[in-house]
Amino acid sequence: MNQAWLKKIRVVVSLVFLALTTLLFVDFDRIGETPTATVALYPQFVPSLLKFSQTFAWGAAGFLAVLALTLLFGRVYCSTICPLGTLQDIVIRVADQLRKPRKVKFRYQRPRNVLRYGLLALAVGLFLGGSTLALSLLDPFSNFGRIAGDLLRPLYVVVHNGFGQLLESVGVYGPFPLHWKAPPLAALIFPALFLLGLIGLSATRGRLFCNTLCPVGALLGLLSRFALFKIRIPQDACVLCAQCSIHCKAGCIRLKTKEVDFSRCVACFNCMTVCETHGIGYAWSGPVLLRRSTPVALPQSQPSNSLDVVRRAALSREGKARRALLRAGATALVGLASLPRSSSVEAKPSNHVPTRLVNAKTWPVAPPGARDIVRFNDLCTACHLCVSACPYGVLQPSLLDYGWSGLLQPHLDFASGYCGYECNRCGQICPTGAIPPLALVAKQTVQLGVAHFVRDNCIVHTDHTACGACDEYCPTKAVHMIPYQDGLTIPEVRPVLCVGCGACENACPARPHRAIYVDGHPVQRQALRPSAKPLEYQPDRGFPF
């Protein structure tokens, strides 16, 4: 029954999924539009399920493969595919290195089925009622996406750009610099608190999050009760050394009865590697007869006079690890301080007379292709992959712009950027189908909202000076200049041509309230395609000089 090799396979596969998913969020340009991204996204349970509910396509049926895998071997998804699960395993290992050595790493934990299945029922009930709020807050993939995209990505950009500058200083031109626009500080509070809570839970209670709060873990736990192959402890092969129980990060091995609560087992296979008698492992879930393994002498306890030496060595390692952690934290803070804030890339105000009329926005602007806001709120789990993928930085996490049901879902923030006319990336990468993919030609006529011009805020009116930034940036010429006074021109909006990309609002220099702003549509509409002017014929008059 020696199946210790299973853990090596599990570790390799989990690290591959973790690396691919992390790279997808922190450096989308590297693998975001390659088949590698599909490999990382296809088996993610909640995004795949939501996308399949819209498309019924095999290309979005990754959750079915996860269900089949669970019915065969239990919650392998939790230990290999889920990036949040692997992140917890790393936290557990690091915490083990930092604290004093302990003989009992984990203890058996009582199942908390009321909380566990209650949260699963709440998430399913809210989803069927038209809200993904519970899924957004508890889904492991979306939470990992917010941690990687909102918290880890700025650190990655600092290291990436710093390395590029170092190479450039020695005459080697390395990778292109990456850009990152900071989201609202309030939008970072939830992923930061979630990460701190996850670290605390993992360091002290192992995989408690997966067995109490995670709706995916609860659902797969229900299915794993019927798995064909389960981890079992044969009565005649166990010597009661307790190693499997004290190394079980799920706390699901009850040694008194030699039973494994397979609904809470996350298939980490730690129990198999520490059992020297090979008395635990996968077996057919039906009744089987297992042969007793050859007894192996258990390791003797350390002599008392060597305990001090071991303790001192451990404390020394602990001190070094803590100092390294402090140095890394200080470096990260310095890097964060050097990052540009989103406000620094906005157009600098140049109006001498402060504007007074507040922009009267009634609806947020949803990503192109979202169709209508209600549908978008029903499908988006706020994983923020589109935020990481947006090359213009206009997609930012919202707070209550959509209401509570749309907490942390992305919206177009024209103070940070504008929607590129030649870009449709967010729809191509959305893993839940909340932003359906659109061909570029179709996307260029989707009207997200309409620009509104406020003459009393315009710098031409207040400062009596020439401007025209909105007209210059408008890709469809929905905003154009008309005669005003004393030879000056002032903007005018043609709503039928406006696609609501926000280029005019982003470029407007008026402050504190802009002279042109985009109000979103609750249901996205179609704009007219701007007519292309034929090129004028220029007769050949020879070389002009």
Side-chain angles (χ1 to χ4, degrees):
M1 210 170 180
N2 185 3
Q3 298 169 344
W5 50 272
L6 282 174
K7 181 177 178 180
K8 296 178 182 176
I9 296 176
R10 192 268 297 175
V11 170
V12 171
V13 175
S14 63
L15 289 178
V16 168
F17 268 102
L18 179 69
L20 291 180
T21 311
T22 304
L23 196 58
L24 195 60
F25 279 94
V26 302
D27 192 356
F28 185 88
D29 291 340
R30 194 168 298 278
I31 66 167
E33 295 177 296
T34 66
T36 307
T38 306
V39 172
L41 293 176
Y42 184 75
Q44 299 303 333
F45 193 85
V46 170
S48 169
L49 176 62
L50 292 177
K51 195 168 189 176
F52 187 81
S53 68
Q54 299 295 305
T55 62
F56 297 103
W58 284 112
F63 77 101
L64 292 177
V66 172
L67 293 179
L69 195 63
T70 306
L71 287 172
L72 282 175
F73 302 109
R75 293 167 58 182
V76 177
Y77 169 86
C78 301
S79 61
T80 56
I81 300 172
C82 177
L84 198 71
T86 308
L87 178 62
Q88 292 176 77
D89 288 346
I90 292 174
V91 171
I92 292 170
R93 189 172 182 83
V94 172
D96 241 10
Q97 298 294 321
L98 293 180
R99 62 188 162 210
K100 295 178 181 177
R102 53 181 186 172
K103 291 183 178 178
V104 179
K105 295 180 181 295
F106 302 103
R107 298 180 186 278
Y108 174 77
Q109 300 172 17
R110 289 183 298 103
R112 295 171 173 80
N113 289 337
V114 174
L115 176 62
R116 182 184 183 194
Y117 297 124
L119 287 176
L120 173 62
L122 176 67
V124 174
L126 286 179
F127 175 69
L128 295 177
S131 173
T132 57
L133 180 61
L135 279 179
S136 299
L137 299 182
L138 297 176
D139 171 43
F141 176 78
S142 301
N143 276 295
F144 180 82
R146 289 191 287 267
I147 291 171
D150 298 346
L151 304 179
L152 181 61
R153 189 175 169 214
L155 303 178
Y156 178 84
V157 171
V158 169
V159 174
H160 179 278
N161 291 352
F163 180 67
Q165 290 178 357
L166 181 66
L167 289 179
E168 192 174 340
S169 65
V170 296
V172 178
Y173 292 95
F176 288 106
L178 299 175
H179 300 282
W180 175 75
K181 293 184 178 179
L185 188 60
L188 300 179
I189 292 177
F190 181 81
L193 291 179
F194 182 89
L195 178 60
L196 290 176
L198 189 77
I199 291 174
L201 270 184
S202 305
T204 57
R205 309 298 296 274
R207 289 290 201 100
L208 187 61
F209 171 83
C210 306
N211 282 326
T212 53
L213 302 177
C214 178
V216 179
L219 177 62
L220 298 184
L222 277 176
L223 290 179
S224 63
R225 293 174 184 268
F226 308 101
L228 293 181
F229 298 92
K230 294 179 179 177
I231 293 178
R232 303 179 65 192
I233 306 175
Q235 294 289 330
D236 58 346
C238 178
V239 296
L240 291 176
C241 68
Q243 290 298 310
C244 57
S245 179
I246 64 179
H247 284 86
C248 176
K249 61 183 73 171
C252 66
I253 299 179
R254 190 176 180 83
L255 205 60
K256 289 182 180 177
T257 57
K258 296 184 180 179
E259 290 177 346
V260 179
D261 183 354
F262 205 57
S263 71
R264 291 188 289 140
C265 173
V266 294
C268 68
F269 310 136
N270 281 359
C271 53
M272 300 181 189
T273 56
V274 295
C275 182
E276 297 187 4
T277 62
H278 309 312
I280 187 170
Y282 264 115
W284 180 258
S285 58
V288 292
L289 294 176
L290 296 168
R291 191 175 54 187
R292 178 191 289 272
S293 303
T294 304
V296 177
L298 297 178
Q300 300 296 320
S301 58
Q302 292 286 343
S304 57
N305 57 356
S306 64
L307 283 177
D308 291 340
V309 177
V310 173
R311 187 177 293 113
R312 281 198 296 271
L315 291 175
S316 176
R317 288 198 303 272
E318 182 181 358
K320 289 179 181 178
R322 283 178 179 169
R323 286 193 292 273
L325 190 63
L326 288 174
R327 283 198 296 270
T331 306
L333 288 176
V334 171
L336 276 175
S338 66
L339 282 173
R341 303 289 300 174
S342 58
S343 57
S344 65
V345 298
E346 297 178 26
K348 293 181 179 178
S350 57
N351 51 316
H352 297 297
V353 181
T355 54
R356 292 180 297 176
L357 294 181
V358 179
N359 297 163
K361 295 188 177 184
T362 54
W363 293 96
V365 183
R371 299 178 190 168
D372 66 81
I373 287 179
V374 174
R375 177 194 169 277
F376 177 70
N377 292 158
D378 288 351
L379 290 174
C380 178
T381 59
C383 71
H384 294 178
L385 182 55
C386 59
V387 176
S388 297
C390 180
Y392 294 87
V394 66
L395 281 175
Q396 294 290 339
S398 66
L399 292 175
L400 297 177
D401 301 69
Y402 296 111
W404 280 103
S405 62
L407 184 68
L408 298 177
Q409 291 179 352
H411 72 130
L412 274 70
D413 180 5
F414 299 128
S416 297
Y418 60 91
C419 185
Y421 194 63
E422 301 292 335
C423 177
N424 60 347
R425 183 183 279 184
C426 55
Q428 306 296 322
I429 195 62
C430 177
T432 67
I435 313 174
L438 287 178
L440 188 58
V441 175
K443 181 260 178 182
Q444 288 174 340
T445 58
V446 173
Q447 190 177 69
L448 316 178
V450 170
H452 296 267
F453 175 61
V454 184
R455 193 196 66 165
D456 290 347
N457 285 353
C458 183
I459 195 171
V460 179
H461 176 76
T462 58
D463 291 15
H464 206 69
T465 184
C467 185
C470 51
D471 166 61
E472 184 178 345
Y473 278 83
C474 180
T476 63
K477 292 305 171 191
V479 181
H480 67 124
M481 305 301 288
I482 60 174
Y484 180 57
Q485 294 174 356
D486 302 329
L488 297 174
T489 56
I490 202 165
E492 181 187 64
V493 178
R494 291 177 285 196
V496 294
L497 292 178
C498 180
V499 293
C501 67
C504 54
E505 180 177 335
N506 181 256
C508 180
R511 296 293 187 277
H513 309 296
R514 308 197 187 211
I516 192 165
Y517 68 92
V518 176
D519 192 19
H521 288 323
V523 179
Q524 295 178 351
R525 305 172 187 171
Q526 285 290 314
L528 294 181
R529 186 173 294 280
S531 57
K533 294 182 179 179
L535 295 176
E536 295 181 1
Y537 172 72
Q538 297 288 340
D540 186 8
R541 298 173 180 172
F543 196 72
F545 302 104

